[in-house]
Every structure is written in C-alpha cells, then in structure tokens.
Amino acid sequence: MSIIIQAPELEKTIASLFSAVGSTPEEARQVAANLVLANLCGHDSHGVGMAPRYVDAVLEKNLTPNAHVQTRVDTGTLLGLDGQNGFGQNVGVQAMQMAFERVRAHGSCIMSLSNAHHLGRIGHYAEMAVENHWISIHFVSVNSRPIVAPFGGGDGRFGTNPCCIGIPVGVGKDTREPFILDFATSRVAQGKMRVAHNEGRSVEPGTLIDENGQPTNNPGVVVVPQSNGKMGALMPFGQYKGFGLAVACELLGGALSGGGTWHKEADGRRAVLNSMLTIVIDPKRLGTENSFGQETTEFLDWLRKSPNAPGTEGVTLAGEPERKKRADRLKNGVPIDDATWQEIVNTARLVGVSI
Ligand code: NAD
C-alpha cells in the first residue's frame, strides 16, 4: 500500500524535518527539493525515504547542517574541496558552482569533493552542468557500510559507488534533451532494496547474496541484520566489468579526493559520506561545439531508428525514463509506500514536528 502526495506538499513536510534539526530554511528547502526530485524521477531509493536517515545522522553528530565547502587546493582548473560533512545536496551544489566558475574562465575543471554527506541522485549535478551545455563526468565513492561484494567474493566490501555522465545533445536552436547516464555500480541501488523490503517484494536472481555468501532474492538480507548478526551483500552490475568500474569510483572518488576508501567492518553509523571526482568540459572551448552538437543528435537519432527488440518498446536513451516519470508524478502525485511514510512520521515525532 502507498499514499500519494503532491510534490510541493511533500517538499514542505520533509523540509520541516531538517529545519527541526538546525538547517536554515534555505538549506532545509534545498535538501527536501532534491529528495522530492529523486522521487519525481522514479528513484524512490534516493528520495524522501532517506530523510529519517539524514535526521539520525545529524542527531549522531555525523552530519553538520549549514556547512560550507572548504577549499584545499585551487589551481584554476584543478579544485580540491572538502564538504565538511555537510548535507550533500547543499555542499555538492556549492562545489559544482565553484567548478562552473572555472569552466567559464578556462573551459574545463577537474574538481574533487571529499566528505560530503550523501549527495543523493548524482544525475542532479550532471543536469546542472548540462543546463550550461557542458559535459559532466562523476566518479563517486560511498563511505557508509560494506554492502557490495567484489566479483568472485562472498561478502560486502565496499559501497554502491555511483558513476554518472551527462552530455548535452544538439546545438543552438536544435538543442535536444540531454543524455544523463546515472547509476549505482551495484546491480541495483541499496535504497531500492530498502523500498523492495518495505513493500514485501522479492528481487531478481543474481542481485544479492545472503549473510553466508549464498544467492538469494530476499532484499531483507541487506536491510536488516540476519540471524547470525551479519548482513548479506549486493552484487556489482556487469560481472567483472562493473566490479572494475566500482573499484575505479572508490579510488578516484575516495582515494584521490582525500575522503579515503572503505577497508573496515561495518560500524553501525547512520551517516553516508560521499566523495566525488568531477570533470566538467565546455565543448565550445574545445572548438567542436557545432560538430559535437550535430554528431550527438545524429548518433542518438540513428540509435532510435533501430527496430524494436521483441517484447520491448524500442530503444530508450539514458535520461528519458526519469523525464517521463517526472512528468507523470508532477501531474499525478508521488506515491510513498506505507513503511517509508511510517518512518517519516516516526522521525517527525522524534524531532517534535507535527505532520
Ligand atoms: P538505474 O538502474 O535505474 O539506472 C539508471 C540509469 O539507466 C539512468 O541513466 C537511466 O536513464 C538509464 N536507463 C534506465 N532504463 C533504461 C533503458 N531501458 N534503456 C536505457 N537506459 C535506461 O539506477 P540505479 O543504479 O538504481 O541508481 C539510482 C540512483 O541512485 C542514481 O541517481 C544514482 O546516482 C543514485 N545513487 C546514489 C548513491 C550515493 O551514494 N549518493 C549511491 C548509489 C546510487
């Protein structure tokens, strides 16, 4: 069962939780709007269901409201930033805006951000860049608990390390909808297992192993401790290739930024820290704006003309499912499953907010 809430009302409700634990009205609104946007895009795993976890992290003093990014290194096109354990939806936007200043001045920027609390849907940051007709590439590490098993391994050793590539399509008046590839390197996002567990659904074979390293389709193994006190693990996507990309995200997002990698047992903390390596490129400054715009259009049109595979609706390009879902949920409201809503209500009670 689920309830349906219109996005503006949901945003206000969720913002009130963050205000209650010390965020300024602007930060509370910004974080809530980002979470609601994830729900609108169909990524409920990264939507308002994360709010109780964020509130717990503030109460545990592992997430600092109203933080500002600190600059460690600034050579113009190279920016080394620290997110100071602030809300990712706030310090992540600050960091992108700083990178954008460098792109305007120099045509590109390599920006690393360490110690941001959960950045949410990484596509959000790529969309910010693509609005300016810039390319944006992101490698992200997740410092939270070891939830994904290495290919060939039998227990969780690292996080769901997302990777994202945003590419503007077309040029000038012929600008099209962008290509936004944005995914967890685990076969599915961990939050989707929380949603499946809350909804009492089982998941596809090959997604999970249990606490003993055996294949299972019960999402609960990565949501609640099992009988021996241990947790199961998600598998990486794409066998050893996805595993390789997950390791690259850990090394580029975590090690290179100074945020660090995960190499210890779970410690039970509710905080989720992200570190992110971002590369932003202005195709105009590379001198290929027109041909790039034309080629991106022609290539994607070429792909769309492929005949439908049996039983499918044909070719979909990255970014399209989210835009479609957003249009639908803006019109018809956002469904929130009962268990997620109950967690939000419990959190509201905890921080003295009536909803
Ligand atoms: P997913 O498996 O739904 O894949 C999403 C990507 O695939 C999108 O780019 C989408 O447009 C594209 N896509 C979907 N269906 C398609 C189709 N039929 N054909 C072509 N392309 C298609 O996403 P996910 O792995 O569940 O990740 C969900 C979100 O979770 C992402 O926004 C990610 O950034 C976020 N995430 C964040 C963290 C963090 O720590 N901050 C960790 C993991 C994931």
Side-chain angles (χ1 to χ4, degrees), residues 170-186:
V171 63
K173 280 188 189 148
D174 195 26
T175 297
R176 308 278 183 92
E177 294 286 14
F179 174 87
I180 306 281
L181 179 63
D182 172 28
F183 58 87
T185 50
S186 51

Side-chain angles (χ1 to χ4, degrees), residues 43 46 118 120-122 160 180-182 184 192 274 316 319 322:
H43 293 296
H46 287 70
H118 194 236
R121 194 176 64 90
I122 306 304
T160 52
I180 306 281
L181 179 63
D182 172 28
K192 286 190 174 143
N274 280 148
T316 299
E322 287 76 13

Side-chain angles (χ1 to χ4, degrees), residues 154-156 208-218 221-222 226 228 230-233:
D155 65 359
L208 294 164
I209 52 174
D210 68 15
E211 67 283 11
N212 301 312
Q214 298 302 312
T216 176
N217 58 8
N218 168 19
V221 299
V222 289
Q226 299 301 293
N228 58 3
K230 287 186 175 173
M231 302 282 271

Side-chain angles (χ1 to χ4, degrees), residues 111-114 119 122 137-143 148 157-165 181-186 236-237 240-262 273-279:
M111 180 267 284
S112 83
L113 172 67
S114 58
L119 287 158
I122 306 304
I137 303 168
H138 308 261
F139 299 95
V140 183
S141 69
V142 187
N143 206 318
V148 184
R157 294 275 147 171
F158 53 92
T160 52
N161 297 356
C163 181
C164 176
I165 303 173
L181 179 63
D182 172 28
F183 58 87
T185 50
S186 51
F237 85 99
Y240 53 86
K241 299 181 191 183
F243 170 48
L245 185 56
V247 174
C249 285
E250 187 84 15
L251 300 179
L252 296 175
L256 186 64
S257 67
T261 63
W262 187 277
L273 289 181
N274 280 148
S275 294
M276 171 165 83
L277 178 73
T278 295
I279 303 164

